[in-house]
Amino acid sequence: MMLSAMLGFYLLMCCYTAIGLFMSSLTTYQIVSAIGSFLAVFILSRIGGLWQKYDFVRDLTYFLSISGRTGKMLQGLITTKDVIYFVLIVYMFVSFTMIKLKGGRESKPWFVSAARYVAVALVVLTIGYVSSRPALTGYWDTTVGDINTLHPNTQKIIKELGKEPLEVTLYTNLLGGGAGRGFPENRNDYLTTLWERYQRFKPDITFKYVYYYDNDDNDSSVYKNWPGKSLKEIEEQVADGYDLNPSMFMPREEIRKKIDLGPESYRLVMQLKYKGETTFLRTFEDNLFWPEEQQVAPAFKRLLKADLPKNLYLTGNLERSIIKRGEREFRFHTIEKGNRNALINLGFESDTLSLDNADIPANITTLILADPKTELSAATMGKLKQYIDKGGNMFILGEPGKQQMLNPLLAHLGVRLMDGTLVQLSKDEMPHMVVPFITRDAANLADEPFLLILKEAYKEHGDSMFMMTPGTTAFAYADTGAFVIKPLLQTLENRVWLKAGTLVTDSTPPEFNPGEGDSQAKAYASYISLERKVNNKDQRIVLGADADMMSNLRQGGGFLGKGFYSWLDDNHYPIYTPRPKPLDSLFTISSAGAAVLKIVYVWILPGAVLLFAIILLIRRKRK
C-alpha cells in the first residue's frame, strides 16, 4: 500500500514536471514560466467540473481532470486508467515541448505546428477515452485485505448474473429528495462513487437516466413554499434555480404512465432490470447517501429470484406494529425504506399475520411475536406450539407487567418471564433503565461489524460493552430441557435486583425490600437464545424480556438487532462483507529509534541528496 502511494506521488510529480518543462520552453523568464505552470495545473484540476451538463464533452473534460487521480493509489488501489492518464499527460506536454523546440529550428507555416499540437491532443484524448472504459480497465488492490475490492460474497453474486446485461435506470425527481446527486453534472461522480467497483467485475452494466417532476398527492409542503403556483410553474422556477432546462423534466402525468414511484416517496432511486426482473435500489438521507454492498448485493439476489428470508410479525393481540411510525413500534428496522439498515434494504421480506384468521406458511424464516397485550387465543396458542414442535424459528419479545401474556407459551420452551421489573440504580438514569452487557455468545451470533470487534475484544481482553434496556424483566430457565440456552444480554453481578409489583420510575429511588417480594440473584439474563436439532434442522429462537430495545426509538436494537435476525436466518442475510484485521496495527518504535530516524531523515538523507547534486553539477560543468 505504501509503494502504491509512492507510485501515485511519483506519477503526479512527473506530470507537474512535464507541464513545467513545456512552460519553460515558451519563455526565458522563470517567473512567467512558473505562473504558466501553476495556471496549467489549475486548469487541469478544475476542468473535470466544466461542461458536465453536456453529454458530448462530459467524458472528455472529466478524463482530463487531474483532481483526485492519485486518490485511489493513496488508498492502495492501482488502476490502469489512472496510470495511463499520467503517462498520457506527460507524453502530451513533453511532445508539446518538442514541437515548440522543433518549431524554433525550422521555417514552417504556423498551421503546421498547430496541426502537430492538435494531433498530439487527439491521440491523448482518444487513448484516454478508450483506456478508461470499464471493460478495458485493469485493477491491482495492493492492500492486505483487498479493502478496495468488492468482498468475495458480493463477487460470487455478481458471477451468478453471468454475461446477461444489467440495466440501471436512475430516476431523478426535480422536486424530490436527493435530486442534486442525479443531475447531469454529477453523473460521472455517481458512476465513479457507486458503480465503478461493480463494473470491475461486470462491465456490461448499461445506465439510463430519467428526469421528471412529481409530488406526493398527500404532501402539500411544496405548494406552501410556492403559494399560488401550479406544479408546472414550480418546476420551471426550480429548474431555473439549478440552471437547468425545464423541458428535460418529464411531467407527472407522463411519468406516472410509465412507472409508479409513489412507494419510493418520489426521491432519487435506481431501478435495476435483469432478464425481465426489476427491483429498486434506494438512496438514503445520511452521510453516505449511496447504497453500499449490504444493500446492492441483496438487490442483485432479488433479480436472480433467490429465496429471500421471510419474516412474519403476528397481529391480533395489540403487538408492536411494523406499519406505524410511533416510538414504541417496529417500522424503522423492518420496512422503513429510508433506513439503509432496515431489513427491507438488507434482503429480508416482512409481512404481518393473524393466527386467528390464517395458518403459518411453511416457507417463512422467522415468526415474530412482539409484546402481545392481550391473552393469546387457544387457536393461536395451538398453532404456535405446533410450529415450534416442527422446528420453526421464532423471535419472542415481552415486557415487564405483561409476563402473563407470554408465559403460557414460554412454558412450552421450558422458560419463564420472571415476575417484576429489574432495577439498576445510578446517578444519571431512572431505576428501570438497566444496562446489561453483551455476552460472548451474543458476539458470536453474526458477522455484524461491531460484533466482530466485540468478539476480538473478548479474545484479547475479555472485555464487552453495554446495551440499554429501558424497562426489562429477566428469564428463569434450566439447562435440563431440550434446548441449549445461552444468555445474550446479562447484567453485571450483584448490581441489579428484581422489584416485585409496580415500579415507580419518576420518584425517589426504590429500595430493596424482600418483605414486599423483592429478590436479588447474582446476575440476570434479559435476552437469551435457544437452539436444538429438529428434523435434521437447527431450530433457533431468540427471547427478549424488553421489547422496547427493538423499537423505533431505539433504532431496532442497532447492530445487535441485526445480529439477532441474521442468526435466526442461519446467517445467510444480511450479506456481510467482513474484512481481516490489519496485521500491522501497532506502532512499536522506541524513543531512541525515533531519534535515530529523525537524524537520518532530517540530516543524513538530505545531505546525501545535496552531495549527489554537487557532484553531478561539477561533472556537468567540466563537460
Side-chain angles (χ1 to χ4, degrees), residues 360-378:
I360 302 173
N363 62 340
I364 68 168
T365 302
T366 305
L367 190 66
I368 297 94
L369 177 59
D371 188 25
K373 300 171 184 63
T374 59
E375 184 178 350
L376 302 178
S377 67

Side-chain angles (χ1 to χ4, degrees), residues 432-491:
H432 70 299
M433 306 294 271
V434 179
V435 283
F437 66 90
I438 301 174
T439 66
R440 189 185 298 268
D441 292 314
N444 291 321
L445 286 177
D447 286 340
E448 186 69 27
F450 279 103
L451 291 181
L452 291 178
I453 295 173
L454 190 58
K455 187 189 300 186
E456 194 66 29
Y458 262 115
K459 180 180 177 181
E460 294 184 0
H461 313 293
D463 201 3
S464 182
M465 66 177 294
F466 295 103
M467 286 288 290
M468 174 69 75
T469 54
T472 183
T473 182
F475 289 101
Y477 58 89
D479 293 329
T480 57
F483 290 95
V484 176
I485 302 178
K486 299 176 181 178
L488 303 178
L489 286 179
Q490 184 169 301
T491 62

Side-chain angles (χ1 to χ4, degrees), residues 216-244:
D216 191 333
D217 295 330
N218 297 320
D219 183 9
S220 61
S221 60
V222 65
Y223 296 103
K224 292 179 180 178
N225 294 331
W226 303 86
K229 295 188 180 297
S230 66
L231 197 64
K232 175 63 177 175
E233 292 172 329
I234 295 172
E235 180 262 344
E236 291 175 349
Q237 293 205 15
V238 174
D240 182 65
Y242 282 116
D243 194 23
L244 296 171

Side-chain angles (χ1 to χ4, degrees), residues 19 25 73 187 248 285 387 423 457 471-472 507 548 612 619:
I19 294 172
S25 71
M73 283 183 268
R187 190 173 296 177
M248 68 180 284
E285 288 295 340
Y387 173 78
V423 171
T472 183
S507 184
D548 285 337
F612 173 78
R619 290 176 61 85

Side-chain angles (χ1 to χ4, degrees), residues 44-87:
L44 287 176
S45 299
R46 299 295 179 180
I47 196 171
L50 298 179
W51 306 302
Q52 290 294 292
K53 297 179 182 179
Y54 309 105
D55 295 337
F56 179 72
V57 296
R58 179 186 299 112
D59 288 337
L60 293 180
T61 57
Y62 192 78
F63 161 73
L64 285 173
S65 175
I66 199 174
S67 178
R69 283 287 178 177
T70 58
K72 291 186 179 68
M73 283 183 268
L74 293 177
Q75 296 174 3
L77 181 64
I78 301 174
T79 66
T80 54
K81 67 178 182 180
D82 287 335
V83 174
I84 290 174
Y85 168 82
F86 284 114
V87 172

